[in-house]
Amino acid sequence: MFPGRGKGGHLVEPRKQMAKVTEQTGITFSVHDMRRTYTSAIDGIVGYYELKRLLNHSAKTDDVTAGYVVKNIEKLCPLMQKVTDHILTLVQPKEPGKILPLSRPAGD
């Protein structure tokens, strides 16, 4: 998914990049945290089986429906672009230094 020096020209081991992010932000996180955040961010904008495929999860033998789904990587390219566009809308920079008030539910 991400360009890199790994087999096939994509990123295989993200730990160096993760260390750079931690160094610049002070936030530590794991690969599992990234997968959970990615999955949460795109939940609802792609179907269940596309989500499984985007996460590179295998279809279990007891999942009969998954056996009928064609796993074509080219089919996932437009979905990946949709996911990328959606994530970019979530991470647009806000005004620097501006504190945004938190709203509280009525009755709190």
Side-chain angles (χ1 to χ4, degrees):
M1 178 164 95
F2 298 106
R5 295 184 181 154
K7 183 179 178 183
H10 64 275
L11 180 65
V12 175
E13 178 54 59
R15 301 214 188 272
K16 278 187 186 178
Q17 291 79 6
M18 291 169 61
K20 287 180 185 178
V21 171
T22 297
E23 180 183 314
Q24 292 180 10
T25 65
I27 299 170
T28 58
F29 56 97
S30 69
V31 173
H32 184 73
D33 292 330
M34 290 191 305
R35 288 177 67 84
R36 184 176 43 245
T37 300
Y38 174 83
T39 305
S40 298
I42 67 171
D43 181 42
I45 67 168
V46 298
Y48 174 74
Y49 292 107
E50 290 87 1
L51 179 62
K52 283 181 65 113
R53 184 68 177 124
L54 289 169
L55 293 170
N56 205 24
H57 286 175
S58 63
K60 295 183 177 162
T61 55
D62 63 345
D63 188 351
V64 176
T65 305
Y68 291 97
V69 177
V70 176
K71 297 174 179 93
N72 182 337
I73 198 72
E74 285 79 24
K75 180 181 174 185
L76 295 176
C77 288
L79 287 174
M80 282 305 305
Q81 187 60 56
K82 183 177 180 180
V83 166
T84 300
D85 294 344
H86 177 70
I87 290 173
L88 287 174
T89 65
L90 297 174
V91 297
Q92 291 299 316
K94 307 294 182 231
E95 285 184 49
K98 183 175 182 181
I99 297 173
L100 301 174
L102 298 176
S103 60
R104 292 179 177 235
D108 280 352

XYZ file of all heavy atoms in Angstrom:
841
model
N 0.822 -1.193 0.000
C 0.000 0.000 0.000
C 0.863 1.252 0.000
O 0.579 2.190 -0.717
C -0.917 -0.022 1.222
C -1.778 1.179 1.341
S -3.119 0.927 2.472
C -2.434 1.591 3.942
N 1.915 1.286 0.811
C 2.774 2.457 0.877
C 4.086 2.163 0.163
O 4.667 1.107 0.356
C 3.050 2.844 2.329
C 1.809 3.209 3.084
C 1.273 2.340 4.017
C 1.170 4.405 2.854
C 0.123 2.658 4.714
C 0.016 4.736 3.545
C -0.508 3.863 4.468
N 4.583 3.089 -0.664
C 5.843 2.855 -1.361
C 6.984 2.672 -0.373
O 7.010 3.287 0.683
C 6.052 4.126 -2.179
C 4.787 4.893 -2.111
C 4.000 4.377 -0.942
N 7.919 1.821 -0.726
C 9.071 1.587 0.129
C 10.083 0.687 -0.538
O 9.959 0.354 -1.702
N 11.081 0.279 0.217
C 12.158 -0.531 -0.330
C 11.934 -2.023 -0.155
O 12.810 -2.825 -0.423
C 13.468 -0.135 0.334
C 13.861 1.280 0.019
C 15.202 1.613 0.606
N 15.527 2.987 0.287
C 16.321 3.737 0.991
N 16.889 3.256 2.077
N 16.564 4.972 0.637
N 10.772 -2.425 0.299
C 10.498 -3.840 0.524
C 10.248 -4.589 -0.765
O 10.230 -4.024 -1.862
N 10.035 -5.882 -0.625
C 9.734 -6.742 -1.768
C 8.502 -6.205 -2.492
O 7.502 -5.904 -1.868
C 9.477 -8.169 -1.274
C 9.218 -9.161 -2.376
C 8.998 -10.541 -1.780
C 8.688 -11.523 -2.886
N 8.390 -12.841 -2.371
N 8.602 -6.057 -3.777
C 7.482 -5.534 -4.553
C 7.387 -4.019 -4.535
O 6.434 -3.446 -5.038
N 8.375 -3.328 -3.930
C 8.384 -1.871 -3.940
C 7.452 -1.204 -2.947
O 7.106 -0.042 -3.096
N 7.023 -1.923 -1.915
C 6.164 -1.298 -0.906
C 6.772 -1.444 0.487
O 7.641 -2.268 0.709
C 4.749 -1.873 -0.950
C 4.684 -3.331 -0.596
N 4.897 -4.329 -1.523
C 4.443 -3.958 0.573
C 4.789 -5.504 -0.937
N 4.514 -5.307 0.340
N 6.288 -0.626 1.386
C 6.767 -0.618 2.763
C 6.414 -1.932 3.449
O 5.264 -2.355 3.436
C 6.133 0.555 3.512
C 6.506 0.743 4.969
C 7.985 1.075 5.099
C 5.663 1.845 5.587
N 7.414 -2.575 4.031
C 7.190 -3.831 4.728
C 7.326 -3.631 6.235
O 6.484 -4.069 7.005
C 8.176 -4.917 4.244
C 8.031 -6.187 5.062
C 7.964 -5.204 2.775
N 8.371 -2.967 6.650
C 8.650 -2.749 8.072
C 8.580 -1.255 8.371
O 9.469 -0.501 7.993
C 10.032 -3.307 8.420
C 10.451 -3.088 9.848
C 9.426 -3.599 10.850
O 9.108 -4.787 10.849
O 8.935 -2.769 11.642
N 7.523 -0.788 9.047
C 7.315 0.646 9.260
C 7.976 1.224 10.509
O 7.781 2.387 10.823
C 5.797 0.740 9.383
C 5.426 -0.539 10.059
C 6.375 -1.569 9.482
N 8.768 0.452 11.230
C 9.256 0.904 12.541
C 10.113 2.169 12.468
O 10.035 3.003 13.364
C 9.992 -0.228 13.245
C 9.051 -1.421 13.420
C 9.274 -2.195 14.665
N 8.475 -3.409 14.650
C 7.229 -3.499 15.085
N 6.627 -2.448 15.559
N 6.573 -4.637 15.045
N 10.931 2.326 11.427
C 11.729 3.557 11.305
C 10.820 4.767 11.153
O 11.024 5.797 11.793
C 12.668 3.486 10.086
C 13.942 2.754 10.316
C 14.832 2.922 9.084
C 16.081 2.101 9.185
N 16.912 2.240 7.984
N 9.811 4.643 10.300
C 8.874 5.747 10.090
C 8.069 6.013 11.355
O 7.802 7.174 11.698
C 7.942 5.431 8.909
C 8.633 5.434 7.569
C 9.416 4.155 7.279
O 9.374 3.187 8.022
N 10.136 4.153 6.174
N 7.706 4.960 12.077
C 6.974 5.126 13.332
C 7.834 5.861 14.355
O 7.337 6.728 15.079
C 6.537 3.764 13.875
C 5.463 3.086 13.048
S 5.170 1.360 13.508
C 4.660 1.515 15.214
N 9.126 5.527 14.407
C 10.041 6.196 15.338
C 10.151 7.680 15.012
O 10.213 8.518 15.922
C 11.416 5.531 15.299
N 10.155 8.031 13.736
C 10.216 9.447 13.335
C 8.964 10.188 13.796
O 9.050 11.317 14.286
C 10.374 9.570 11.817
C 11.739 9.211 11.308
C 11.814 9.365 9.802
C 13.143 8.891 9.264
N 13.233 8.990 7.798
N 7.805 9.562 13.627
C 6.554 10.193 14.059
C 6.571 10.377 15.570
O 6.216 11.440 16.084
C 5.324 9.364 13.612
C 4.050 9.892 14.250
C 5.212 9.362 12.096
N 7.002 9.364 16.305
C 7.077 9.445 17.768
C 8.048 10.539 18.187
O 7.755 11.320 19.098
C 7.495 8.092 18.367
O 6.474 7.136 18.059
C 7.661 8.172 19.870
N 9.181 10.630 17.509
C 10.174 11.657 17.829
C 9.611 13.066 17.620
O 9.820 13.958 18.432
C 11.401 11.460 16.929
C 12.512 12.473 17.151
C 13.656 12.253 16.167
O 14.067 11.093 15.992
O 14.116 13.253 15.575
N 8.845 13.250 16.546
C 8.311 14.573 16.233
C 7.074 14.936 17.044
O 6.805 16.112 17.275
C 8.001 14.673 14.738
C 9.246 14.651 13.883
C 8.933 14.743 12.401
O 7.809 15.009 11.993
N 9.945 14.527 11.578
N 6.312 13.931 17.480
C 5.053 14.223 18.172
C 5.058 13.870 19.654
O 4.217 14.356 20.399
C 3.889 13.446 17.521
O 4.102 12.042 17.709
C 3.748 13.778 16.047
N 5.965 12.977 20.054
C 5.963 12.496 21.426
C 4.915 11.434 21.686
O 4.715 11.002 22.819
N 4.241 10.977 20.639
C 3.184 9.981 20.774
C 3.729 8.613 20.374
O 4.227 8.445 19.265
C 1.972 10.333 19.888
C 1.392 11.680 20.304
C 0.913 9.232 19.938
C 0.357 12.229 19.347
N 3.657 7.659 21.293
C 4.086 6.303 20.961
C 2.862 5.488 20.549
O 1.769 5.681 21.087
C 4.788 5.620 22.148
O 3.897 5.605 23.255
C 6.058 6.349 22.532
N 3.069 4.591 19.606
C 1.976 3.774 19.102
C 2.556 2.508 18.497
O 3.748 2.421 18.232
C 1.137 4.536 18.075
C 1.933 5.058 16.909
C 1.980 4.351 15.718
C 2.646 6.241 16.999
C 2.720 4.819 14.640
C 3.375 6.721 15.934
C 3.419 6.007 14.749
N 1.685 1.531 18.272
C 2.103 0.247 17.718
C 1.521 0.064 16.320
O 0.632 0.809 15.905
C 1.630 -0.894 18.622
O 0.218 -1.001 18.563
N 2.004 -0.953 15.636
C 1.446 -1.296 14.331
C -0.029 -1.653 14.499
O -0.876 -1.266 13.690
C 2.233 -2.460 13.682
C 1.554 -2.943 12.416
C 3.663 -2.030 13.387
N -0.352 -2.352 15.578
C -1.749 -2.713 15.838
C -2.602 -1.449 16.028
O -3.743 -1.392 15.553
C -1.849 -3.611 17.070
C -3.227 -4.090 17.349
N -3.855 -5.045 16.582
C -4.118 -3.723 18.290
C -5.071 -5.245 17.045
N -5.257 -4.462 18.085
N -2.064 -0.433 16.694
C -2.788 0.838 16.845
C -3.098 1.454 15.481
O -4.187 1.975 15.255
C -1.977 1.833 17.672
C -1.834 1.434 19.118
O -2.748 0.773 19.653
O -0.798 1.786 19.716
N -2.111 1.389 14.572
C -2.329 1.949 13.227
C -3.415 1.172 12.491
O -4.275 1.771 11.841
C -1.034 1.938 12.415
C -0.017 2.922 12.916
S 1.388 3.168 11.805
C 2.012 1.519 11.556
N -3.388 -0.155 12.579
C -4.407 -0.973 11.907
C -5.798 -0.697 12.487
O -6.777 -0.579 11.757
C -4.079 -2.456 12.032
C -2.898 -2.885 11.185
C -2.555 -4.344 11.378
N -3.573 -5.240 10.888
C -3.700 -5.653 9.629
N -2.837 -5.236 8.722
N -4.662 -6.470 9.274
N -5.885 -0.562 13.819
C -7.167 -0.285 14.470
C -7.690 1.100 14.055
O -8.869 1.268 13.751
C -7.020 -0.386 15.993
C -8.313 -0.198 16.743
C -8.187 -0.395 18.252
N -7.005 0.215 18.814
C -6.009 -0.468 19.386
N -6.064 -1.784 19.459
N -4.976 0.157 19.895
N -6.800 2.096 14.015
C -7.202 3.445 13.612
C -7.659 3.458 12.160
O -8.684 4.048 11.820
C -6.038 4.434 13.824
O -5.684 4.421 15.212
C -6.419 5.837 13.400
N -6.892 2.799 11.292
C -7.236 2.700 9.872
C -8.609 2.055 9.704
O -9.473 2.583 9.010
C -6.156 1.882 9.157
C -6.438 1.582 7.717
C -6.156 2.519 6.728
C -6.952 0.355 7.334
C -6.396 2.233 5.396
C -7.196 0.069 6.005
C -6.912 1.010 5.040
O -7.151 0.724 3.729
N -8.824 0.949 10.388
C -10.085 0.222 10.280
C -11.248 1.070 10.790
O -12.302 1.131 10.158
C -10.015 -1.101 11.064
O -8.893 -1.847 10.607
C -11.268 -1.924 10.885
N -11.051 1.744 11.902
C -12.108 2.598 12.464
C -12.420 3.762 11.541
O -13.581 4.145 11.382
C -11.691 3.128 13.833
O -11.507 2.068 14.736
N -11.386 4.330 10.917
C -11.577 5.489 10.042
C -12.365 5.133 8.792
O -13.128 5.961 8.283
C -10.226 6.093 9.652
N -12.206 3.917 8.278
C -12.874 3.570 7.020
C -14.112 2.708 7.219
O -14.784 2.379 6.248
C -11.907 2.896 6.027
C -11.449 1.522 6.523
C -10.753 3.804 5.713
C -10.668 0.742 5.478
N -14.431 2.366 8.458
C -15.627 1.579 8.725
C -16.844 2.307 8.171
O -17.062 3.477 8.456
C -15.788 1.364 10.235
C -17.008 0.533 10.566
O -17.249 -0.463 9.861
O -17.727 0.888 11.526
N -17.602 1.621 7.359
C -18.818 2.208 6.802
C -18.630 2.807 5.414
O -19.619 3.083 4.743
N -17.390 3.029 4.978
C -17.225 3.572 3.622
C -16.832 2.489 2.620
O -16.834 2.742 1.426
C -16.235 4.755 3.558
C -14.813 4.321 3.864
C -16.668 5.885 4.457
C -13.792 5.393 3.516
N -16.500 1.302 3.111
C -16.284 0.143 2.236
C -17.051 -1.032 2.835
O -17.382 -1.027 4.019
C -14.780 -0.227 2.099
C -13.995 0.904 1.474
C -14.160 -0.622 3.423
N -17.332 -2.019 2.030
C -18.051 -3.194 2.498
C -17.182 -4.081 3.387
O -15.956 -3.950 3.425
N -17.837 -5.017 4.061
C -17.158 -5.903 5.005
C -16.049 -6.705 4.336
O -14.931 -6.779 4.842
C -18.183 -6.835 5.649
C -17.574 -7.886 6.537
C -17.073 -7.543 7.788
C -17.479 -9.209 6.122
C -16.495 -8.504 8.615
C -16.912 -10.170 6.942
C -16.416 -9.814 8.176
O -15.853 -10.763 8.984
N -16.341 -7.318 3.191
C -15.336 -8.153 2.540
C -14.208 -7.316 1.932
O -13.053 -7.741 1.921
C -15.973 -9.079 1.502
C -16.834 -10.122 2.184
C -18.209 -10.073 2.130
C -16.244 -11.135 2.935
C -18.990 -11.007 2.788
C -17.006 -12.076 3.603
C -18.374 -12.011 3.525
O -19.131 -12.934 4.193
N -14.533 -6.113 1.457
C -13.465 -5.216 0.987
C -12.575 -4.804 2.151
O -11.357 -4.754 2.021
C -14.052 -3.980 0.298
C -14.699 -4.239 -1.034
C -16.166 -4.628 -0.920
O -16.699 -4.680 0.198
O -16.771 -4.886 -1.966
N -13.193 -4.527 3.294
C -12.422 -4.162 4.482
C -11.478 -5.296 4.884
O -10.298 -5.068 5.149
C -13.362 -3.813 5.636
C -12.708 -3.434 6.960
C -11.852 -2.186 6.795
C -13.773 -3.208 8.025
N -11.992 -6.521 4.890
C -11.140 -7.676 5.207
C -9.970 -7.760 4.233
O -8.838 -8.012 4.638
C -11.945 -8.978 5.151
C -12.837 -9.214 6.346
C -13.581 -10.521 6.237
C -12.668 -11.685 6.261
N -12.736 -12.557 7.409
N -10.245 -7.542 2.973
C -9.196 -7.641 1.959
C -8.191 -6.501 2.102
O -6.988 -6.712 1.975
C -9.830 -7.637 0.559
C -8.861 -7.837 -0.552
C -8.285 -9.254 -0.524
N -7.421 -9.420 -1.657
C -6.157 -9.778 -1.583
N -5.616 -10.062 -0.440
N -5.431 -9.883 -2.659
N -8.677 -5.294 2.376
C -7.781 -4.151 2.565
C -6.864 -4.368 3.762
O -5.733 -3.890 3.790
C -8.578 -2.855 2.732
C -9.275 -2.348 1.465
C -10.241 -1.229 1.824
C -8.270 -1.898 0.434
N -7.341 -5.092 4.764
C -6.530 -5.407 5.940
C -5.690 -6.661 5.737
O -4.939 -7.064 6.610
C -7.426 -5.588 7.171
C -8.132 -4.334 7.646
C -9.162 -4.678 8.709
C -7.134 -3.333 8.169
N -5.846 -7.279 4.570
C -5.136 -8.508 4.226
C -5.509 -9.660 5.167
O -4.687 -10.505 5.488
C -3.620 -8.301 4.209
C -2.929 -9.308 3.321
O -3.531 -9.852 2.409
N -1.671 -9.565 3.601
N -6.766 -9.670 5.611
C -7.269 -10.767 6.436
C -7.753 -11.874 5.516
O -8.383 -11.611 4.497
C -8.435 -10.313 7.317
C -8.002 -9.456 8.455
N -8.912 -8.874 9.303
C -6.786 -9.062 8.896
C -8.271 -8.172 10.225
N -6.980 -8.272 9.992
N -7.494 -13.098 5.887
C -7.941 -14.223 5.069
C -9.389 -14.557 5.394
O -9.878 -14.276 6.484
C -7.058 -15.441 5.323
O -7.183 -15.847 6.668
N -10.043 -15.165 4.420
C -11.408 -15.633 4.650
C -11.324 -16.960 5.395
O -10.565 -17.840 5.020
C -12.125 -15.803 3.317
N -12.070 -17.078 6.460
C -12.068 -18.321 7.235
C -12.848 -19.388 6.478
O -13.756 -19.084 5.710
C -12.678 -18.071 8.611
C -11.840 -17.136 9.436
C -12.413 -16.955 10.803
C -11.450 -16.062 11.577
N -12.019 -15.467 12.718
N -12.487 -20.617 6.714
C -13.136 -21.715 5.996
C -14.614 -21.822 6.338
O -15.384 -22.341 5.542
C -12.431 -23.057 6.304
O -12.407 -23.254 7.718
C -11.026 -23.055 5.767
N -15.031 -21.318 7.500
C -16.445 -21.392 7.859
C -17.236 -20.195 7.323
O -18.428 -20.110 7.514
C -16.627 -21.521 9.376
C -16.099 -20.322 10.147
O -15.342 -19.521 9.574
O -16.441 -20.199 11.338
N -16.557 -19.277 6.633
C -17.213 -18.105 6.044
C -17.547 -18.436 4.588
O -16.780 -18.142 3.675
C -16.300 -16.883 6.145
C -16.994 -15.602 5.734
O -18.121 -15.668 5.213
O -16.406 -14.529 5.927
N -18.689 -19.065 4.365
C -19.062 -19.550 3.042
C -19.166 -18.409 2.035
O -18.693 -18.514 0.906
C -20.396 -20.328 3.117
C -20.848 -20.756 1.733
C -20.252 -21.517 4.043
N -19.755 -17.290 2.429
C -19.944 -16.166 1.517
C -18.609 -15.662 0.979
O -18.487 -15.324 -0.195
C -20.696 -15.023 2.217
O -21.918 -15.533 2.738
C -20.997 -13.889 1.257
N -17.597 -15.611 1.815
C -16.289 -15.100 1.399
C -15.708 -15.921 0.257
O -14.957 -15.403 -0.566
C -15.322 -15.080 2.575
N -16.067 -17.196 0.172
C -15.569 -18.042 -0.904
C -16.069 -17.625 -2.271
O -15.477 -17.965 -3.294
N -17.151 -16.865 -2.324
C -17.715 -16.417 -3.584
C -17.199 -15.043 -4.008
O -17.436 -14.603 -5.120
C -19.243 -16.358 -3.493
C -19.861 -17.720 -3.382
C -20.209 -18.241 -2.151
C -20.088 -18.487 -4.512
C -20.774 -19.499 -2.027
C -20.650 -19.748 -4.415
C -20.990 -20.252 -3.172
O -21.539 -21.491 -3.063
N -16.512 -14.339 -3.104
C -16.024 -12.997 -3.394
C -14.734 -13.098 -4.197
O -13.795 -13.779 -3.806
C -15.780 -12.201 -2.090
C -15.205 -10.827 -2.398
C -17.072 -12.070 -1.303
N -14.696 -12.420 -5.349
C -13.497 -12.406 -6.185
C -12.489 -11.463 -5.549
O -12.795 -10.302 -5.284
C -13.832 -11.958 -7.628
C -12.571 -11.858 -8.457
C -14.826 -12.912 -8.246
N -11.302 -11.973 -5.281
C -10.265 -11.178 -4.624
C -9.311 -10.626 -5.668
O -8.239 -11.165 -5.890
C -9.540 -12.027 -3.588
C -10.451 -12.485 -2.481
C -9.746 -13.440 -1.564
C -10.651 -13.875 -0.457
N -11.361 -15.096 -0.743
N -9.715 -9.564 -6.313
C -8.933 -8.946 -7.370
C -8.341 -7.651 -6.839
O -9.066 -6.729 -6.491
C -9.844 -8.672 -8.572
C -9.125 -8.070 -9.728
O -8.069 -7.462 -9.577
N -9.704 -8.209 -10.905
N -7.004 -7.572 -6.784
C -6.336 -6.405 -6.207
C -6.655 -5.126 -6.980
O -6.755 -4.050 -6.401
C -4.805 -6.639 -6.087
C -4.174 -5.651 -5.121
C -4.127 -6.573 -7.427
C -4.492 -5.910 -3.703
N -6.841 -5.227 -8.287
C -7.172 -4.039 -9.091
C -8.532 -3.468 -8.682
O -8.750 -2.272 -8.746
C -7.160 -4.364 -10.588
C -5.764 -4.505 -11.168
C -5.130 -5.869 -10.863
O -5.886 -6.850 -10.625
O -3.898 -5.943 -10.846
N -9.432 -4.338 -8.243
C -10.749 -3.891 -7.783
C -10.622 -3.029 -6.529
O -11.445 -2.159 -6.267
C -11.628 -5.112 -7.502
C -13.020 -4.782 -7.022
C -13.792 -6.048 -6.739
C -15.138 -5.730 -6.130
N -15.875 -6.913 -5.722
N -9.560 -3.257 -5.759
C -9.373 -2.517 -4.515
C -8.771 -1.126 -4.722
O -8.873 -0.276 -3.845
C -8.480 -3.313 -3.562
C -9.055 -4.639 -3.073
C -8.042 -5.365 -2.212
C -10.353 -4.433 -2.328
N -8.157 -0.877 -5.884
C -7.503 0.427 -6.119
C -8.458 1.610 -5.962
O -8.136 2.558 -5.247
C -6.815 0.436 -7.479
S -5.334 -0.597 -7.499
N -9.641 1.593 -6.585
C -10.560 2.719 -6.371
C -11.003 2.840 -4.912
O -11.194 3.946 -4.407
C -11.757 2.399 -7.268
C -11.256 1.421 -8.267
C -10.154 0.661 -7.586
N -11.151 1.694 -4.223
C -11.510 1.738 -2.803
C -10.393 2.366 -1.984
O -10.645 3.142 -1.063
C -11.804 0.336 -2.279
C -13.111 -0.287 -2.743
C -13.210 -1.726 -2.270
C -14.286 0.518 -2.248
N -9.149 2.026 -2.312
C -8.015 2.611 -1.588
C -7.979 4.120 -1.794
O -7.669 4.867 -0.876
C -6.691 1.987 -2.028
C -6.444 0.633 -1.435
S -6.523 0.602 0.376
C -5.346 1.841 0.835
N -8.297 4.587 -3.011
C -8.329 6.025 -3.246
C -9.436 6.672 -2.432
O -9.253 7.740 -1.844
C -8.511 6.335 -4.739
C -8.372 7.803 -5.063
C -7.008 8.344 -4.686
O -5.991 7.835 -5.133
N -6.968 9.377 -3.852
N -10.589 6.006 -2.369
C -11.708 6.518 -1.558
C -11.296 6.590 -0.090
O -11.583 7.572 0.603
C -12.920 5.602 -1.744
C -14.159 6.051 -1.028
C -15.325 5.108 -1.328
C -16.579 5.556 -0.621
N -17.713 4.669 -0.898
N -10.619 5.559 0.393
C -10.139 5.523 1.773
C -9.132 6.641 2.008
O -9.201 7.367 3.006
C -9.516 4.143 2.083
C -8.725 4.173 3.365
C -10.592 3.082 2.135
N -8.178 6.797 1.091
C -7.166 7.853 1.213
C -7.820 9.220 1.283
O -7.491 10.040 2.143
C -6.183 7.797 0.023
O -5.540 6.521 0.034
C -5.149 8.890 0.107
N -8.760 9.479 0.385
C -9.465 10.770 0.373
C -10.193 10.999 1.697
O -10.166 12.106 2.254
C -10.453 10.840 -0.792
C -9.770 10.832 -2.151
O -8.541 11.078 -2.220
O -10.465 10.551 -3.144
N -10.841 9.952 2.207
C -11.573 10.073 3.474
C -10.625 10.370 4.633
O -10.882 11.263 5.447
C -12.360 8.786 3.744
C -13.090 8.785 5.042
N -14.193 9.586 5.268
C -12.873 8.106 6.192
C -14.621 9.388 6.505
N -13.838 8.494 7.083
N -9.515 9.646 4.713
C -8.559 9.867 5.799
C -7.962 11.267 5.716
O -7.794 11.937 6.734
C -7.465 8.775 5.799
C -8.089 7.448 6.235
C -6.305 9.153 6.715
C -7.171 6.255 6.130
N -7.684 11.745 4.519
C -7.141 13.100 4.372
C -8.121 14.158 4.874
O -7.702 15.170 5.432
C -6.746 13.367 2.921
C -5.489 12.638 2.457
C -5.265 12.866 0.954
C -4.265 13.066 3.250
N -9.417 13.924 4.716
C -10.387 14.887 5.262
C -10.371 14.872 6.786
O -10.667 15.882 7.420
C -11.826 14.623 4.772
O -12.277 13.367 5.265
C -11.921 14.670 3.265
N -10.018 13.729 7.380
C -9.974 13.622 8.842
C -8.746 14.288 9.448
O -8.761 14.672 10.608
C -10.008 12.150 9.268
C -11.252 11.362 8.898
C -11.076 9.892 9.261
C -12.482 11.940 9.576
N -7.680 14.402 8.674
C -6.420 14.903 9.225
C -6.039 16.281 8.695
O -4.901 16.698 8.836
C -5.255 13.916 8.974
C -5.513 12.609 9.674
C -5.007 13.702 7.498
N -6.984 16.997 8.118
C -6.682 18.347 7.642
C -6.224 19.200 8.812
O -6.821 19.159 9.884
C -7.912 18.989 6.988
C -8.297 18.347 5.673
C -7.202 18.449 4.634
O -6.575 19.482 4.459
N -6.948 17.354 3.944
N -5.146 19.963 8.623
C -4.640 20.784 9.735
C -5.638 21.849 10.168
O -6.351 22.416 9.349
C -3.373 21.422 9.167
C -3.421 21.221 7.708
C -4.389 20.120 7.409
N -5.682 22.075 11.442
C -6.523 23.129 12.014
C -5.665 24.382 12.176
O -4.462 24.355 12.004
C -7.070 22.688 13.382
C -7.768 21.350 13.373
C -9.026 21.366 12.553
C -9.738 20.029 12.612
N -10.093 19.460 11.375
N -6.297 25.473 12.542
C -5.535 26.705 12.769
C -4.542 26.475 13.897
O -4.922 26.014 14.971
C -6.480 27.847 13.160
C -7.286 28.405 12.023
C -8.116 29.586 12.480
O -7.558 30.487 13.144
O -9.314 29.590 12.191
N -3.252 26.796 13.666
C -2.270 26.573 14.736
C -2.537 27.491 15.926
O -2.877 28.657 15.764
C -0.936 26.901 14.072
C -1.276 27.722 12.881
C -2.676 27.354 12.473
N -2.426 26.926 17.113
C -2.544 27.708 18.337
C -3.964 28.010 18.769
O -4.180 28.556 19.834
N -4.944 27.698 17.952
C -6.323 27.992 18.314
C -6.882 26.846 19.150
O -6.799 25.684 18.780
C -7.175 28.180 17.061
C -8.608 28.556 17.370
C -9.374 28.860 16.106
C -10.791 29.269 16.463
N -11.589 29.547 15.283
N -7.450 27.179 20.286
C -8.055 26.170 21.149
C -9.521 26.073 20.799
O -10.254 27.064 20.820
C -7.870 26.540 22.645
C -6.388 26.569 22.979
C -8.627 25.544 23.521
C -6.084 27.069 24.360
N -9.938 24.881 20.463
C -11.317 24.657 20.079
C -12.110 24.205 21.302
O -11.697 23.273 21.998
C -11.416 23.590 18.976
C -10.643 23.924 17.702
C -10.696 22.731 16.746
C -11.190 25.158 17.039
N -13.231 24.870 21.602
C -14.014 24.482 22.781
C -14.681 23.121 22.562
O -15.097 22.797 21.449
C -15.053 25.592 22.894
C -15.172 26.141 21.515
C -13.823 25.969 20.872
N -14.763 22.333 23.608
C -15.474 21.067 23.561
C -16.911 21.310 23.956
O -17.192 22.016 24.917
C -14.815 20.065 24.524
C -13.379 19.689 24.235
C -12.849 18.772 25.338
C -13.275 19.012 22.896
N -17.817 20.715 23.225
C -19.228 20.876 23.588
C -19.620 19.709 24.482
O -19.150 18.602 24.336
C -20.092 20.913 22.344
O -19.941 19.721 21.610
N -20.474 20.014 25.442
C -20.954 18.988 26.372
C -22.414 18.695 26.047
O -23.159 19.600 25.698
C -20.846 19.473 27.815
C -19.423 19.612 28.262
C -19.408 20.111 29.681
N -18.046 20.175 30.135
C -17.604 19.575 31.219
N -18.419 18.905 31.983
N -16.356 19.668 31.563
N -22.787 17.431 26.197
C -24.212 17.099 26.000
C -25.074 17.850 27.003
O -24.648 18.128 28.120
C -24.270 15.593 26.242
C -22.857 15.104 26.185
C -21.986 16.280 26.520
N -26.292 18.165 26.606
C -27.236 18.859 27.499
C -27.452 18.056 28.765
O -27.547 16.828 28.728
C -28.543 19.095 26.777
N -27.490 18.707 29.901
C -27.723 18.046 31.168
C -26.467 17.671 31.928
O -26.522 17.148 33.016
N -25.297 17.916 31.325
C -24.024 17.615 32.023
C -23.497 18.828 32.727
O -23.597 19.922 32.392
C -22.972 17.111 31.042
C -23.177 15.648 30.701
O -24.024 15.003 31.332
O -22.491 15.166 29.784
